[in-house]
């Protein structure tokens, strides 16, 4: 149930959130379109009012007889005035409803009367200069769908002289609305406060009795003066549910409204809803599958619980074995520590004590060599030490002390070799003795001298790659004179190689420098041969 209900709840929440976002976006787009169309429509009506005022000003103080007598001059003026006005133009009607002056015709048309028109009667009954907007009509002269903006002509004593009318073709708005209201199936309407539609896109025929639905959401918003508020309701033409918003055109009792089909505005949301539904269904199926897998796993666990006792026993045995291994490791560490202390003790006792500074320096150097080897073994968990890393660690202090870079004063040449723990510390001390001798008497004692350490592995009967041959060679040092006697350093070197490593040591003094070769069996050292007592060996 959770596998089905959880995706369904997530789907519902996401769909609702996306619906609100899509609706908010649609409302913003609708209001932007409304503001654009409102600005255009308001300017059109304001311009018509200016034209009416200019016409009334020209005819002020003239009777209808005077206007008719000077019709040609007035026609020229109105024609020039109507250049930028809708093609229907400007018409001046007398008190009897007949045309006195027409901007479109030099000779006023006869047989046309507007005394029966609603706007004519309205102006006759309402003194003042307030403009009146007339509903969509079929022009009797031009046979076009127009609406008029009209104004009363009054004599100085207030008598009714007639009406000035400026005709606005519905098509003038439609051309602009078609480009500005770019959303498909948009509906734009210009209507009076009484709900009479003056112009509409898509276009309607003159005489079509179309009103804003009484009691509808849009009418209620207009009555409550809630401008720029988006409401939804049916279109008065086709009944399609639409999102609508309106604004009043300044001081005119005229409103412009924009509507868009609600389904069209939410079309993208509907498409996303299908995608969300697909994901929800996929997630639900995946969760159901996981439930089935979990059920299978539960059955398997029940079967495994039957063998729990056996597994507990195996685990107990493994823990005991691990504890044994820890104890062995502890003994190994104890042994290594005791052995290291023994080597240190022997070093302290056997180092010649000619003077205090020399004695301290010699002891410190040998203990440091032992410590560096101990560090390498600890880092590798006492499994062994890299020969190259050990040599580099032991030679670095002497090369730095001699004032040269490691890669120019000492050279290492050989493949990777992992020394047994039993060989690491003795070999470190042997390299320390050779480097100490080279710094005092050999190649590292002069600028430009160089020490090269090379090694290789050879097969033996015991194991392949068992015999390690390590060669120490000094070059570019001072002239070499073979010693007449072997000092403590060489005795210690021989004791380490032969006594502790069980290997072979060869020392040769050539004119180019000292050459020392050491051979040892790695297999024997891997089997656990421990370092011999250094003191006894010396």
């Amino acid at each position: 149930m959770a596998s089905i209900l959880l995706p369904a709840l997530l789907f519902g929440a996401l769909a609702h959130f996306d619906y609100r976002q899509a609706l908010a976006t649609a409302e913003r787009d609708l209001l932007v379109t409304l503001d654009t169309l409102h600005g255009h429509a308001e300017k059109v009506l304001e311009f018509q009012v200016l034209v009416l005022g200019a016409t009334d000003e020209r005819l002020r103080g003239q009777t209808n007889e005077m206007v008719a007598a000077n019709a040609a001059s007035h026609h020229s003026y109105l024609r020039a005035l109507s250049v930028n006005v809708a093609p229907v133009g400007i018409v001046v009607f007398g008190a009897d409803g007949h045309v006195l002056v027409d901007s479109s015709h030099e000779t006023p048309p006869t047989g046309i009367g507007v005394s029966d028109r609603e706007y004519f009667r309205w102006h006759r009954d309402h003194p003042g200069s307030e403009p009146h907007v007339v509903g969509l009509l079929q022009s009797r002269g031009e046979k076009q769908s127009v609406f008029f903006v009209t104004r009363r002509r009054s004599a100085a004593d207030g008598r009714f002289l007639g009406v000035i009318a400026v005709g606005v073709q519905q098509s003038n708005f439609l051309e602009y609305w078609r480009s500005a209201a770019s959303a498909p199936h948009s509906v734009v309407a210009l209507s009076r406060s009484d709900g009479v539609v003056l112009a509409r896109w898509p276009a309607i025929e003159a005489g079509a009795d179309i009103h804003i639905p009484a009691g509808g959401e849009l009418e209620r918003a207009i009555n409550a003066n809630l401008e720029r508020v988006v409401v939804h309701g049916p279109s008065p033409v086709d009944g399609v549910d639409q999102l609508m918003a309106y604004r009043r055109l300044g001081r005119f009792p005229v409103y412009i409204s924009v509507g868009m089909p609600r389904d069209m505005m939410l079309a993208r949301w509907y498409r996303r809803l299908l995608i969300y539904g697909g994901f929800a269904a996929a997630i639900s199926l995946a969760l159901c599958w996981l439930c089935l897998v979990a059920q299978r796993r539960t059955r398997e666990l029940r079967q495994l619980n039957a063998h729990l006792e056996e597994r507990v026993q195996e685990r107990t045995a493994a823990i005991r074995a691990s504890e044994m291994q820890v104890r062995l490791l502890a003994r190994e560490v104890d042994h290594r520590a005791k052995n290291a202390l023994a080597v240190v003790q022997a070093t302290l006792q056997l180092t010649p004590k000619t003077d205090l500074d020399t004695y301290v320096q010699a002891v410190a150097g040998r203990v440091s060599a032992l410590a560096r080897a101990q560090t390498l073994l600890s880092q590798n968990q006492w499994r062994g030490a890299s020969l190259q890393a050990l040599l580099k660690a032991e030679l670095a202090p002497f090369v730095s002390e001699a004032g040269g870079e490691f890669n120019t004063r000492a050279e290492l040449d050989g493949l990777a070799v992992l020394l047994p723990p039993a060989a690491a510390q003795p070999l470190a001390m042997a390299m320390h003795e050779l480097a100490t001798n080279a710094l005092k008497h050999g190649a590292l004692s002069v600028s430009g001298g160089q020490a090269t350490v090379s090694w290789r592995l050879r097969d033996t009967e015991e194991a392949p790659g068992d015999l390690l041959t390590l060669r120490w060679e000094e070059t570019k040092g001072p002239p070499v004179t073979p010693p007449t006697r072997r000092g403590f350093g060489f005795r210690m070197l021989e004791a380490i190689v032969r006594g502790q490593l069980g290997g072979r040591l060869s020392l040769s003094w050539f004119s180019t420098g000292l050459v020392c070769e050491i051979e040892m069996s790695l297999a024997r050292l891997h089997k656990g041969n421990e370092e011999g007592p250094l003191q006894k060996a010396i």
Side-chain angles (χ1 to χ4, degrees), residues 281-307:
I283 293 173
S284 182
L285 290 175
L287 290 176
C288 289
W289 177 78
L290 288 175
C291 287
L292 293 176
V293 171
Q295 190 178 22
R296 267 199 314 272
R297 295 296 184 189
T298 302
R299 286 197 297 267
E300 292 174 0
L301 286 175
R302 290 196 185 103
Q303 294 173 359
L304 291 175
N305 286 337
H307 306 285

PDB file of all heavy atoms in Angstrom, residues 281-307:
ATOM      1  N   ALA A 281       4.080   6.215 -11.841  1.00  0.00           N
ATOM      2  CA  ALA A 281       3.785   4.803 -12.086  1.00  0.00           C
ATOM      3  C   ALA A 281       5.063   3.968 -12.067  1.00  0.00           C
ATOM      4  O   ALA A 281       5.096   2.862 -11.503  1.00  0.00           O
ATOM      5  CB  ALA A 281       3.066   4.654 -13.431  1.00  0.00           C
ATOM      6  N   ALA A 282       6.132   4.522 -12.684  1.00  0.00           N
ATOM      7  CA  ALA A 282       7.398   3.784 -12.701  1.00  0.00           C
ATOM      8  C   ALA A 282       7.942   3.614 -11.285  1.00  0.00           C
ATOM      9  O   ALA A 282       8.426   2.533 -10.913  1.00  0.00           O
ATOM     10  CB  ALA A 282       8.422   4.523 -13.572  1.00  0.00           C
ATOM     11  N   ILE A 283       7.862   4.677 -10.486  1.00  0.00           N
ATOM     12  CA  ILE A 283       8.345   4.586  -9.097  1.00  0.00           C
ATOM     13  C   ILE A 283       7.508   3.581  -8.309  1.00  0.00           C
ATOM     14  O   ILE A 283       8.031   2.789  -7.524  1.00  0.00           O
ATOM     15  CB  ILE A 283       8.315   5.970  -8.439  1.00  0.00           C
ATOM     16  CG1 ILE A 283       9.336   6.890  -9.105  1.00  0.00           C
ATOM     17  CG2 ILE A 283       8.585   5.868  -6.943  1.00  0.00           C
ATOM     18  CD1 ILE A 283       9.261   8.320  -8.638  1.00  0.00           C
ATOM     19  N   SER A 284       6.194   3.612  -8.527  1.00  0.00           N
ATOM     20  CA  SER A 284       5.326   2.677  -7.816  1.00  0.00           C
ATOM     21  C   SER A 284       5.668   1.232  -8.169  1.00  0.00           C
ATOM     22  O   SER A 284       5.749   0.360  -7.293  1.00  0.00           O
ATOM     23  CB  SER A 284       3.864   2.986  -8.147  1.00  0.00           C
ATOM     24  OG  SER A 284       3.006   2.125  -7.445  1.00  0.00           O
ATOM     25  N   LEU A 285       5.881   0.981  -9.468  1.00  0.00           N
ATOM     26  CA  LEU A 285       6.262  -0.374  -9.887  1.00  0.00           C
ATOM     27  C   LEU A 285       7.599  -0.781  -9.281  1.00  0.00           C
ATOM     28  O   LEU A 285       7.773  -1.923  -8.840  1.00  0.00           O
ATOM     29  CB  LEU A 285       6.321  -0.439 -11.417  1.00  0.00           C
ATOM     30  CG  LEU A 285       4.972  -0.345 -12.150  1.00  0.00           C
ATOM     31  CD1 LEU A 285       5.186  -0.297 -13.648  1.00  0.00           C
ATOM     32  CD2 LEU A 285       4.077  -1.530 -11.782  1.00  0.00           C
ATOM     33  N   ALA A 286       8.553   0.179  -9.276  1.00  0.00           N
ATOM     34  CA  ALA A 286       9.862  -0.141  -8.703  1.00  0.00           C
ATOM     35  C   ALA A 286       9.749  -0.458  -7.212  1.00  0.00           C
ATOM     36  O   ALA A 286      10.379  -1.398  -6.713  1.00  0.00           O
ATOM     37  CB  ALA A 286      10.822   1.031  -8.925  1.00  0.00           C
ATOM     38  N   LEU A 287       8.935   0.318  -6.489  1.00  0.00           N
ATOM     39  CA  LEU A 287       8.762   0.056  -5.058  1.00  0.00           C
ATOM     40  C   LEU A 287       8.074  -1.272  -4.811  1.00  0.00           C
ATOM     41  O   LEU A 287       8.420  -2.004  -3.874  1.00  0.00           O
ATOM     42  CB  LEU A 287       7.973   1.202  -4.413  1.00  0.00           C
ATOM     43  CG  LEU A 287       8.703   2.549  -4.301  1.00  0.00           C
ATOM     44  CD1 LEU A 287       7.772   3.608  -3.746  1.00  0.00           C
ATOM     45  CD2 LEU A 287       9.928   2.415  -3.413  1.00  0.00           C
ATOM     46  N   CYS A 288       7.086  -1.585  -5.646  1.00  0.00           N
ATOM     47  CA  CYS A 288       6.423  -2.888  -5.509  1.00  0.00           C
ATOM     48  C   CYS A 288       7.416  -4.031  -5.740  1.00  0.00           C
ATOM     49  O   CYS A 288       7.407  -5.037  -5.028  1.00  0.00           O
ATOM     50  CB  CYS A 288       5.262  -2.984  -6.497  1.00  0.00           C
ATOM     51  SG  CYS A 288       3.847  -1.933  -6.083  1.00  0.00           S
ATOM     52  N   TRP A 289       8.265  -3.829  -6.755  1.00  0.00           N
ATOM     53  CA  TRP A 289       9.278  -4.854  -7.017  1.00  0.00           C
ATOM     54  C   TRP A 289      10.224  -4.991  -5.825  1.00  0.00           C
ATOM     55  O   TRP A 289      10.592  -6.100  -5.437  1.00  0.00           O
ATOM     56  CB  TRP A 289      10.055  -4.479  -8.280  1.00  0.00           C
ATOM     57  CG  TRP A 289      11.160  -5.432  -8.602  1.00  0.00           C
ATOM     58  CD1 TRP A 289      11.061  -6.657  -9.186  1.00  0.00           C
ATOM     59  CD2 TRP A 289      12.556  -5.234  -8.318  1.00  0.00           C
ATOM     60  NE1 TRP A 289      12.296  -7.234  -9.284  1.00  0.00           N
ATOM     61  CE2 TRP A 289      13.232  -6.391  -8.764  1.00  0.00           C
ATOM     62  CE3 TRP A 289      13.281  -4.203  -7.739  1.00  0.00           C
ATOM     63  CZ2 TRP A 289      14.604  -6.516  -8.648  1.00  0.00           C
ATOM     64  CZ3 TRP A 289      14.657  -4.329  -7.626  1.00  0.00           C
ATOM     65  CH2 TRP A 289      15.310  -5.478  -8.081  1.00  0.00           C
ATOM     66  N   LEU A 290      10.622  -3.839  -5.238  1.00  0.00           N
ATOM     67  CA  LEU A 290      11.488  -3.891  -4.065  1.00  0.00           C
ATOM     68  C   LEU A 290      10.799  -4.581  -2.894  1.00  0.00           C
ATOM     69  O   LEU A 290      11.443  -5.305  -2.125  1.00  0.00           O
ATOM     70  CB  LEU A 290      11.894  -2.470  -3.662  1.00  0.00           C
ATOM     71  CG  LEU A 290      12.898  -1.759  -4.584  1.00  0.00           C
ATOM     72  CD1 LEU A 290      13.108  -0.331  -4.131  1.00  0.00           C
ATOM     73  CD2 LEU A 290      14.222  -2.510  -4.590  1.00  0.00           C
ATOM     74  N   CYS A 291       9.491  -4.369  -2.770  1.00  0.00           N
ATOM     75  CA  CYS A 291       8.750  -5.059  -1.704  1.00  0.00           C
ATOM     76  C   CYS A 291       8.794  -6.574  -1.901  1.00  0.00           C
ATOM     77  O   CYS A 291       8.973  -7.341  -0.951  1.00  0.00           O
ATOM     78  CB  CYS A 291       7.301  -4.571  -1.674  1.00  0.00           C
ATOM     79  SG  CYS A 291       7.111  -2.907  -1.021  1.00  0.00           S
ATOM     80  N   LEU A 292       8.627  -6.996  -3.148  1.00  0.00           N
ATOM     81  CA  LEU A 292       8.693  -8.432  -3.434  1.00  0.00           C
ATOM     82  C   LEU A 292      10.091  -8.978  -3.141  1.00  0.00           C
ATOM     83  O   LEU A 292      10.243 -10.073  -2.576  1.00  0.00           O
ATOM     84  CB  LEU A 292       8.322  -8.689  -4.899  1.00  0.00           C
ATOM     85  CG  LEU A 292       6.864  -8.390  -5.277  1.00  0.00           C
ATOM     86  CD1 LEU A 292       6.658  -8.588  -6.770  1.00  0.00           C
ATOM     87  CD2 LEU A 292       5.916  -9.279  -4.491  1.00  0.00           C
ATOM     88  N   VAL A 293      11.110  -8.195  -3.531  1.00  0.00           N
ATOM     89  CA  VAL A 293      12.481  -8.624  -3.243  1.00  0.00           C
ATOM     90  C   VAL A 293      12.692  -8.711  -1.733  1.00  0.00           C
ATOM     91  O   VAL A 293      13.295  -9.673  -1.225  1.00  0.00           O
ATOM     92  CB  VAL A 293      13.482  -7.638  -3.882  1.00  0.00           C
ATOM     93  CG1 VAL A 293      14.904  -7.937  -3.418  1.00  0.00           C
ATOM     94  CG2 VAL A 293      13.398  -7.717  -5.404  1.00  0.00           C
ATOM     95  N   ALA A 294      12.186  -7.699  -1.007  1.00  0.00           N
ATOM     96  CA  ALA A 294      12.333  -7.719   0.450  1.00  0.00           C
ATOM     97  C   ALA A 294      11.622  -8.922   1.065  1.00  0.00           C
ATOM     98  O   ALA A 294      12.114  -9.543   2.015  1.00  0.00           O
ATOM     99  CB  ALA A 294      11.784  -6.423   1.041  1.00  0.00           C
ATOM    100  N   GLN A 295      10.474  -9.255   0.494  1.00  0.00           N
ATOM    101  CA  GLN A 295       9.749 -10.421   1.003  1.00  0.00           C
ATOM    102  C   GLN A 295      10.557 -11.698   0.789  1.00  0.00           C
ATOM    103  O   GLN A 295      10.635 -12.564   1.683  1.00  0.00           O
ATOM    104  CB  GLN A 295       8.395 -10.516   0.299  1.00  0.00           C
ATOM    105  CG  GLN A 295       7.452 -11.544   0.921  1.00  0.00           C
ATOM    106  CD  GLN A 295       6.117 -11.562   0.221  1.00  0.00           C
ATOM    107  OE1 GLN A 295       6.014 -11.146  -0.920  1.00  0.00           O
ATOM    108  NE2 GLN A 295       5.098 -12.029   0.894  1.00  0.00           N
ATOM    109  N   ARG A 296      11.189 -11.795  -0.403  1.00  0.00           N
ATOM    110  CA  ARG A 296      12.032 -12.959  -0.669  1.00  0.00           C
ATOM    111  C   ARG A 296      13.213 -12.990   0.277  1.00  0.00           C
ATOM    112  O   ARG A 296      13.591 -14.048   0.794  1.00  0.00           O
ATOM    113  CB  ARG A 296      12.524 -12.928  -2.120  1.00  0.00           C
ATOM    114  CG  ARG A 296      11.625 -13.696  -3.077  1.00  0.00           C
ATOM    115  CD  ARG A 296      12.330 -14.043  -4.375  1.00  0.00           C
ATOM    116  NE  ARG A 296      13.058 -12.930  -4.949  1.00  0.00           N
ATOM    117  CZ  ARG A 296      12.531 -12.038  -5.784  1.00  0.00           C
ATOM    118  NH1 ARG A 296      11.267 -12.144  -6.114  1.00  0.00           N
ATOM    119  NH2 ARG A 296      13.264 -11.062  -6.268  1.00  0.00           N
ATOM    120  N   ARG A 297      13.802 -11.804   0.502  1.00  0.00           N
ATOM    121  CA  ARG A 297      14.939 -11.744   1.410  1.00  0.00           C
ATOM    122  C   ARG A 297      14.530 -12.148   2.823  1.00  0.00           C
ATOM    123  O   ARG A 297      15.302 -12.785   3.549  1.00  0.00           O
ATOM    124  CB  ARG A 297      15.516 -10.324   1.434  1.00  0.00           C
ATOM    125  CG  ARG A 297      16.106  -9.874   0.100  1.00  0.00           C
ATOM    126  CD  ARG A 297      17.285 -10.699  -0.299  1.00  0.00           C
ATOM    127  NE  ARG A 297      17.898 -10.193  -1.524  1.00  0.00           N
ATOM    128  CZ  ARG A 297      18.833 -10.827  -2.193  1.00  0.00           C
ATOM    129  NH1 ARG A 297      19.261 -12.019  -1.769  1.00  0.00           N
ATOM    130  NH2 ARG A 297      19.340 -10.314  -3.297  1.00  0.00           N
ATOM    131  N   THR A 298      13.342 -11.786   3.219  1.00  0.00           N
ATOM    132  CA  THR A 298      12.864 -12.161   4.550  1.00  0.00           C
ATOM    133  C   THR A 298      12.766 -13.673   4.688  1.00  0.00           C
ATOM    134  O   THR A 298      13.144 -14.263   5.718  1.00  0.00           O
ATOM    135  CB  THR A 298      11.499 -11.509   4.818  1.00  0.00           C
ATOM    136  OG1 THR A 298      11.622 -10.091   4.694  1.00  0.00           O
ATOM    137  CG2 THR A 298      11.007 -11.843   6.220  1.00  0.00           C
ATOM    138  N   ARG A 299      12.245 -14.313   3.639  1.00  0.00           N
ATOM    139  CA  ARG A 299      12.167 -15.775   3.682  1.00  0.00           C
ATOM    140  C   ARG A 299      13.567 -16.391   3.762  1.00  0.00           C
ATOM    141  O   ARG A 299      13.800 -17.365   4.493  1.00  0.00           O
ATOM    142  CB  ARG A 299      11.441 -16.287   2.439  1.00  0.00           C
ATOM    143  CG  ARG A 299       9.935 -16.038   2.482  1.00  0.00           C
ATOM    144  CD  ARG A 299       9.207 -16.912   1.475  1.00  0.00           C
ATOM    145  NE  ARG A 299       9.608 -16.585   0.109  1.00  0.00           N
ATOM    146  CZ  ARG A 299       8.977 -15.729  -0.681  1.00  0.00           C
ATOM    147  NH1 ARG A 299       7.912 -15.079  -0.210  1.00  0.00           N
ATOM    148  NH2 ARG A 299       9.382 -15.500  -1.913  1.00  0.00           N
ATOM    149  N   GLU A 300      14.499 -15.793   3.011  1.00  0.00           N
ATOM    150  CA  GLU A 300      15.866 -16.309   3.060  1.00  0.00           C
ATOM    151  C   GLU A 300      16.469 -16.118   4.453  1.00  0.00           C
ATOM    152  O   GLU A 300      17.194 -16.993   4.950  1.00  0.00           O
ATOM    153  CB  GLU A 300      16.718 -15.601   2.016  1.00  0.00           C
ATOM    154  CG  GLU A 300      16.326 -15.935   0.585  1.00  0.00           C
ATOM    155  CD  GLU A 300      17.095 -15.097  -0.429  1.00  0.00           C
ATOM    156  OE1 GLU A 300      17.928 -14.262   0.025  1.00  0.00           O
ATOM    157  OE2 GLU A 300      16.877 -15.272  -1.639  1.00  0.00           O
ATOM    158  N   LEU A 301      16.147 -14.973   5.088  1.00  0.00           N
ATOM    159  CA  LEU A 301      16.669 -14.743   6.436  1.00  0.00           C
ATOM    160  C   LEU A 301      16.105 -15.755   7.433  1.00  0.00           C
ATOM    161  O   LEU A 301      16.809 -16.193   8.346  1.00  0.00           O
ATOM    162  CB  LEU A 301      16.336 -13.318   6.880  1.00  0.00           C
ATOM    163  CG  LEU A 301      17.156 -12.194   6.217  1.00  0.00           C
ATOM    164  CD1 LEU A 301      16.645 -10.838   6.653  1.00  0.00           C
ATOM    165  CD2 LEU A 301      18.637 -12.343   6.588  1.00  0.00           C
ATOM    166  N   ARG A 302      14.838 -16.097   7.230  1.00  0.00           N
ATOM    167  CA  ARG A 302      14.264 -17.106   8.126  1.00  0.00           C
ATOM    168  C   ARG A 302      15.013 -18.434   7.982  1.00  0.00           C
ATOM    169  O   ARG A 302      15.237 -19.154   8.965  1.00  0.00           O
ATOM    170  CB  ARG A 302      12.785 -17.296   7.793  1.00  0.00           C
ATOM    171  CG  ARG A 302      11.904 -16.112   8.177  1.00  0.00           C
ATOM    172  CD  ARG A 302      10.450 -16.509   8.196  1.00  0.00           C
ATOM    173  NE  ARG A 302       9.569 -15.358   8.437  1.00  0.00           N
ATOM    174  CZ  ARG A 302       8.869 -14.737   7.515  1.00  0.00           C
ATOM    175  NH1 ARG A 302       8.926 -15.165   6.269  1.00  0.00           N
ATOM    176  NH2 ARG A 302       8.110 -13.705   7.809  1.00  0.00           N
ATOM    177  N   GLN A 303      15.381 -18.744   6.736  1.00  0.00           N
ATOM    178  CA  GLN A 303      16.139 -19.988   6.533  1.00  0.00           C
ATOM    179  C   GLN A 303      17.540 -19.879   7.130  1.00  0.00           C
ATOM    180  O   GLN A 303      18.060 -20.838   7.711  1.00  0.00           O
ATOM    181  CB  GLN A 303      16.239 -20.278   5.038  1.00  0.00           C
ATOM    182  CG  GLN A 303      14.893 -20.580   4.389  1.00  0.00           C
ATOM    183  CD  GLN A 303      15.005 -20.696   2.884  1.00  0.00           C
ATOM    184  OE1 GLN A 303      16.078 -20.535   2.319  1.00  0.00           O
ATOM    185  NE2 GLN A 303      13.880 -20.975   2.233  1.00  0.00           N
ATOM    186  N   LEU A 304      18.125 -18.683   7.002  1.00  0.00           N
ATOM    187  CA  LEU A 304      19.468 -18.518   7.563  1.00  0.00           C
ATOM    188  C   LEU A 304      19.458 -18.555   9.090  1.00  0.00           C
ATOM    189  O   LEU A 304      20.438 -18.980   9.711  1.00  0.00           O
ATOM    190  CB  LEU A 304      20.059 -17.192   7.084  1.00  0.00           C
ATOM    191  CG  LEU A 304      20.419 -17.106   5.601  1.00  0.00           C
ATOM    192  CD1 LEU A 304      20.867 -15.699   5.248  1.00  0.00           C
ATOM    193  CD2 LEU A 304      21.513 -18.094   5.252  1.00  0.00           C
ATOM    194  N   ASN A 305      18.367 -18.101   9.679  1.00  0.00           N
ATOM    195  CA  ASN A 305      18.287 -18.137  11.147  1.00  0.00           C
ATOM    196  C   ASN A 305      18.345 -19.557  11.697  1.00  0.00           C
ATOM    197  O   ASN A 305      18.764 -19.763  12.839  1.00  0.00           O
ATOM    198  CB  ASN A 305      16.999 -17.464  11.601  1.00  0.00           C
ATOM    199  CG  ASN A 305      17.069 -15.947  11.469  1.00  0.00           C
ATOM    200  OD1 ASN A 305      18.152 -15.379  11.445  1.00  0.00           O
ATOM    201  ND2 ASN A 305      15.915 -15.296  11.368  1.00  0.00           N
ATOM    202  N   ALA A 306      17.926 -20.504  10.856  1.00  0.00           N
ATOM    203  CA  ALA A 306      17.989 -21.895  11.306  1.00  0.00           C
ATOM    204  C   ALA A 306      19.433 -22.351  11.518  1.00  0.00           C
ATOM    205  O   ALA A 306      19.711 -23.269  12.283  1.00  0.00           O
ATOM    206  CB  ALA A 306      17.301 -22.797  10.280  1.00  0.00           C
ATOM    207  N   HIS A 307      20.374 -21.691  10.784  1.00  0.00           N
ATOM    208  CA  HIS A 307      21.798 -22.064  10.915  1.00  0.00           C
ATOM    209  C   HIS A 307      22.548 -21.051  11.762  1.00  0.00           C
ATOM    210  O   HIS A 307      23.785 -20.977  11.704  1.00  0.00           O
ATOM    211  CB  HIS A 307      22.434 -22.132   9.522  1.00  0.00           C
ATOM    212  CG  HIS A 307      21.699 -23.028   8.573  1.00  0.00           C
ATOM    213  ND1 HIS A 307      21.765 -24.406   8.647  1.00  0.00           N
ATOM    214  CD2 HIS A 307      20.867 -22.737   7.537  1.00  0.00           C
ATOM    215  CE1 HIS A 307      21.013 -24.937   7.698  1.00  0.00           C
ATOM    216  NE2 HIS A 307      20.446 -23.947   6.993  1.00  0.00           N
TER     217      HIS A 307
END
